[in-house]
Amino acid sequence: MTTTASSRRAVVAGLLTTGSLAASRAWSNPIQPETVTIGFITTLSTPAGYIGEDERDAFNLAIAEGGGKLGGVPVRLDIEDDALKPANAKQAADRMVQGGIRLFTGVNFSNVLAAVVPSVLASGGTYVSLNPGPSTFAGERCHPNYFVTSYQNDAFHEASGLAADELAYKKVVLLAPNYQAGRDALEGFKRTYKGTVAGEIYTKLDQTDFSVELARVRALAPDAIYQFHPGGAGINFAKQYANAGLGRTVPMLIPSFSMDARMVAATGDAANGIYASAIWTSEVDNPASVAFVTAFRKAYSRTPTTYAQQSYDTARLIGSALEAVNGDLRKQDQFRNALRAAKFVSVRGKFAFGPNQHPVQDYYLTRFEKNGAGEIVQNIVRKIASDRGDAYVSKCTMN
């Protein structure tokens, strides 16, 4: 059958119309991003398990607020309990890497982080730490694919050293668990403290009885103690310190993660009057913080800890970077650049990364005290450091 000129024109016109409609649909419906799986290895068991719960719950809150997405990109968490054992965490990380996961977060102890990060970075993946910031990865071992949203371990304790001077503590005894973060803690405190360190006491990471250490504190007769014991160990320490009567004669200064909201509930009046260094408390009144605390309490019927706040900020930071690459982690340079830019609204207020991809932020002196309802809350006394980075940034040679 012969095709006429007019029919050929009609066919061409139809094809053009069909093509125009297809192009129009493609333009109005851009390619939707695939779901990004995030490896979330954390501590959910042991007495420190509540820390991992707060981190997991706050991260999930950010996802829920985005309708199952971060930065408009669908995400899912592959969650593993490391049980505070580095070997468990490494096995989980290796399994996730082999399964194709390229983005990780969740670990809340420095010794566990040290077992996970090398595997992630060797695979070409990215690790964004929501809590630990060990000195080992802040200086010479810094890496383009490694970010810390919380703090470099020493920095919090450097702020505490400044606070001790402001509180006129002339003679202080230091206590911390004998692992990376504990050693970083005491080194950080000594870096800024101008008074006399009467003694350094190292404990076991999973220690529950501190009677020997408290006897040493009593014998040394300091003006105050500075102690770093997170989670269950911190609860036991605070209770035993109060029961020994030391709290009435020897004030306690801590980093705020040694007496968080969950610990206050467990220790009762033992927390009253304790001073702490902090980057944030649930009493901060900026709009982002108020909204976060309200949403967390509604979702989980408890007050968020600083661990929860850091995790929520981490989720929002990751969301800002996922949005920049439409969820395509193969665009690694763009993804890294978007993380470095930190274009998200932080619950703690100001937030920026230093050259070693650790935070530059403000630190505060706070005090645990009863409010009008008789509840012990962590109030900000005053700012003690502005735009503070960390002591290892000069050792980072990352381009």
Side-chain angles (χ1 to χ4, degrees), residues 5 16 82 145 153 159 191 217 232 238 251 276 292 311 342 349:
L16 288 172
D82 58 45
N145 288 4
N153 285 353
R191 192 173 291 126
V217 169
F292 163 64
S311 183

Side-chain angles (χ1 to χ4, degrees), residues 110-111 134-136 153 177-185:
S110 293
N111 58 329
S135 57
T136 48
N153 285 353
N178 191 15
Y179 78 119
Q180 185 66 54
R183 294 187 292 273
D184 286 350

Side-chain angles (χ1 to χ4, degrees), residues 97-332:
V97 165
Q98 291 167 8
I101 295 177
R102 292 294 177 266
L103 179 58
F104 291 79
T105 189
V107 172
N108 52 23
F109 285 89
S110 293
N111 58 329
V112 179
L113 187 81
V116 169
V117 167
S119 295
V120 172
L121 299 184
S123 73
T126 301
Y127 195 92
V128 185
S129 178
L130 51 71
N131 187 49
S135 57
T136 48
F137 297 119
E140 294 174 355
R141 293 179 64 188
C142 64
H143 193 283
N145 288 4
Y146 174 76
F147 294 79
V148 175
T149 61
S150 50
Y151 43 78
Q152 191 282 312
N153 285 353
D154 300 31
F156 227 108
H157 309 289
E158 289 169 6
S160 294
L162 297 173
D165 288 330
E166 288 202 16
L167 292 166
Y169 296 153
K170 303 298 183 184
K171 181 183 175 184
V172 175
V173 170
L174 312 180
L175 302 98
N178 191 15
Y179 78 119
Q180 185 66 54
R183 294 187 292 273
D184 286 350
L186 301 197
E187 288 304 312
F189 184 91
K190 290 187 293 183
R191 192 173 291 126
T192 57
Y193 178 56
K194 294 182 174 62
T196 299
V197 174
E200 294 181 44
I201 302 173
Y202 284 98
T203 59
K204 295 179 180 179
L205 184 58
D206 58 352
Q207 189 164 326
T208 57
D209 181 2
F210 297 94
S211 56
V212 172
E213 289 77 13
L214 297 183
R216 286 188 62 190
V217 169
R218 194 184 301 276
L220 290 166
D223 294 334
I225 68 164
Y226 180 67
Q227 67 92 2
F228 161 61
H229 289 91
I235 292 171
N236 289 330
F237 186 94
K239 284 183 174 180
Q240 292 170 33
Y241 197 79
N243 290 339
L246 283 166
R248 293 191 296 271
T249 58
V250 184
M252 183 189 300
L253 173 65
I254 59 173
S256 61
F257 37 77
S258 289
M259 184 56 69
D260 57 51
R262 299 279 286 271
M263 295 169 75
V264 167
T267 56
D269 283 350
N272 196 31
I274 293 176
Y275 284 102
S277 59
I279 55 174
W280 173 88
T281 83
S282 60
E283 305 306 299
V284 169
D285 62 359
N286 72 60
S289 180
V290 171
F292 163 64
V293 172
T294 300
F296 192 94
R297 283 173 172 162
K298 181 178 180 180
Y300 305 113
S301 301
R302 65 181 189 269
T303 297
T305 62
T306 191
Y307 301 109
Q309 175 270 314
Q310 291 165 183
S311 183
Y312 187 77
D313 269 2
T314 300
R316 297 180 79 171
L317 168 71
I318 288 174
S320 70
L322 289 175
E323 182 178 16
V325 297
N326 199 34
D328 187 353
L329 295 180
R330 293 170 298 181
K331 298 177 180 177
Q332 197 169 55

Side-chain angles (χ1 to χ4, degrees), residues 32-65:
Q32 296 300 306
E34 295 182 1
T35 298
V36 171
T37 299
I38 300 173
F40 199 95
I41 302 167
T42 195
T43 304
L44 295 170
S45 56
T46 80
Y50 80 88
I51 297 174
E53 290 175 1
D54 259 26
E55 291 165 343
R56 177 200 62 197
D57 291 350
F59 206 98
N60 275 326
L61 176 63
I63 295 172
E65 289 175 341

Side-chain angles (χ1 to χ4, degrees), residues 328-347:
D328 187 353
L329 295 180
R330 293 170 298 181
K331 298 177 180 177
Q332 197 169 55
D333 287 344
Q334 291 174 247
F335 184 67
R336 279 194 300 252
N337 289 338
L339 285 173
R340 290 187 192 112
K343 291 184 178 179
F344 74 104
V345 178
S346 170
V347 170

